[in-house]
Amino acid sequence: MTLQEIVHIYYRVGFGISYAEATILQKESKETIVNELFNASREVKPLAIDISELTAKVKNLNMKDRKKLRSLIKDSTKKVHELNIAWIYKLGNTEQLLREKMTLFWANHFVCQDNNILHIQHYNNTLRKHALGNFKDFVIAISKEASMIKYLNTKQNKKAKPNENFARELMELFTLGRDNYSEKDIKESARAFTGWNHDFMGNFRLRRFQHDTEEKTFFGETGNFDGEDIIDIILKQKQCAKYICEKIYRYFVNDTIDDSRVSEMTTIFFKDYDIENLMRFVLLSDWFYDEKNIGTKIKSPIEFLVGVHRIVPMQFEKPRELIYLQKLLGQHLLFPPNVAGWKGGRNWINPNTMMLRLNLPSVLLANGPISLDEKGEFEDDFQRFNNKRNKQRKLKVLPDWETFHSQQKDVTLKQLQQTIIVSPLNSGTAAYLEKLETQDLKKYSIQLMSLPEYQLC
């Protein structure tokens, strides 16, 4: 494989690669490199923060004590933010690149939000567990998660009064896509999910007296279906495999769908809904490395932040500043904008976020100033946030240049550029970089990460 192809695959299934690592891999075949990516992700390593104190409070909680209940909710929300930080550092330091990137992808597919740390941490690890597994098992597991049961109102779905919210999103967002089912399909499938609930600790529970045991007719089949039967019937529709393959293609290959490639992927995926087989097919396909697919996708804010961290490891002295940055950039992990998640693609960029992205490497790595609200309450609108009332302040970030230099030992400026920038340089950028040839590696890396081309992967 060429150096550019190796950088390409590592940007798509991870967050980049160093020149030293890439040159070692150049001696290997594509099959060997892809196999190593899967082997490195074979084990599931859960994301976990310490919630023992909160768990003990939950076990001893008197639900009638409203004061303690409010305090518990407040503490739980703080822990969700702590989980957010832990997740980003896991992304920045993991060796299980493919599994973690897939987890990030699925988090914006099976979109969910919950301020209960016990439930949302379990939910996040369910995404991680099934990220490369069987899609049917994945959908069933997600449907039984306490966070999802709350988020899409399955708790309110009872035999006497079905709630259709989950059934509708299951088909529209999770499996088939809009307009590939009927209103009757929604009503019938909602009946099948009646009684699906959870206990206080988040374990799935079927409330039998709330479950509709009568016959349902769904996609032309009639029977005494429950929720798992409905998922089974949905997966019999080839449209389900196509819908998932389109999303995989947009995320890992190109924002513009190539129907013939998606058709190839759908044929593979529809056989057994094995996610690993599908991803292996994509990564081994020659077309994955076509020029039109390299350096053409806009990095998400998380890909951008984690990518910088992968080049120069850094630590935020005030973790909440990392949360504020996510808000400013437009992607606050664990806090999606709605059930459809972030739109991605060109939606990541607007004049405000672009300005921030171009300045951010200097802010993070060279003690550059940034406008922060004095009270620490960032506004989502950067224009409003970056007004005269806000003082120019500096983030408390500790960049680890020692590790950077050890990883980039004997690397030239040109070689550093080849692994940090994967998209073609325009003539203006190339001329600009030529003027920087006398700079040291540290300053040059910051300049590279401040280029418009660095926004692409």
Side-chain angles (χ1 to χ4, degrees), residues 155-256:
K155 282 172 76 82
Q156 289 80 38
N157 189 18
K158 300 173 183 176
K159 179 180 179 180
K161 191 177 181 181
N163 184 302
E164 298 170 0
N165 199 17
F166 176 74
R168 184 181 300 278
E169 305 304 359
L170 171 66
M171 287 183 272
E172 180 175 329
L173 297 174
F174 299 163
T175 56
L176 295 170
R178 184 173 292 180
D179 300 330
N180 290 298
Y181 49 86
S182 66
E183 282 299 312
K184 184 181 178 185
D185 290 328
I186 294 172
K187 293 183 184 301
E188 292 292 273
S189 60
R191 291 176 54 212
F193 285 100
T194 49
W196 283 37
N197 212 316
H198 65 86
D199 61 22
F200 199 67
M201 297 304 291
N203 303 303
F204 175 75
R205 294 286 182 264
L206 175 63
R207 308 296 186 201
R208 297 189 183 281
F209 293 109
Q210 296 173 358
H211 180 63
D212 185 338
T213 56
E214 300 296 319
E215 282 194 341
K216 298 103 183 170
T217 298
F218 181 70
F219 274 94
E221 295 190 35
T222 301
N224 180 18
F225 300 138
D226 63 11
E228 292 193 24
D229 296 323
I230 292 295
I231 291 168
D232 196 38
I233 294 171
I234 288 175
L235 266 64
K236 290 179 184 176
Q237 320 304 313
K238 199 168 184 178
Q239 169 60 29
C240 176
K242 181 177 181 237
Y243 177 69
I244 299 302
C245 288
E246 285 176 345
K247 294 196 77 169
I248 292 271
Y249 187 90
R250 286 197 189 93
Y251 190 86
F252 289 97
V253 184
N254 199 309
D255 289 330
T256 303

Side-chain angles (χ1 to χ4, degrees), residues 31 105 177 186 222 273 325 390:
E31 288 73 16
F105 166 76
I186 294 172
T222 301
Y273 283 99
L325 277 182
N390 293 320

Side-chain angles (χ1 to χ4, degrees), residues 291-305:
E291 194 173 326
K292 69 175 184 179
N293 296 327
I294 296 179
T296 53
K297 283 185 61 64
I298 297 173
K299 293 175 183 172
S300 70
I302 297 302
E303 287 173 323
F304 178 83
L305 282 170

Side-chain angles (χ1 to χ4, degrees), residues 239-301:
Q239 169 60 29
C240 176
K242 181 177 181 237
Y243 177 69
I244 299 302
C245 288
E246 285 176 345
K247 294 196 77 169
I248 292 271
Y249 187 90
R250 286 197 189 93
Y251 190 86
F252 289 97
V253 184
N254 199 309
D255 289 330
T256 303
I257 289 285
D258 183 324
D259 289 331
S260 64
R261 301 312 181 199
V262 170
S263 177
E264 293 173 30
M265 293 167 62
T266 302
T267 300
I268 297 290
F269 195 45
F270 188 57
K271 287 178 184 174
D272 52 12
Y273 283 99
D274 188 308
I275 300 167
E276 177 174 335
N277 284 346
L278 173 64
M279 291 306 299
R280 193 178 286 276
F281 173 75
V282 171
L283 301 179
L284 288 174
S285 297
D286 289 341
W287 48 258
F288 178 75
Y289 304 91
D290 283 350
E291 194 173 326
K292 69 175 184 179
N293 296 327
I294 296 179
T296 53
K297 283 185 61 64
I298 297 173
K299 293 175 183 172
S300 70

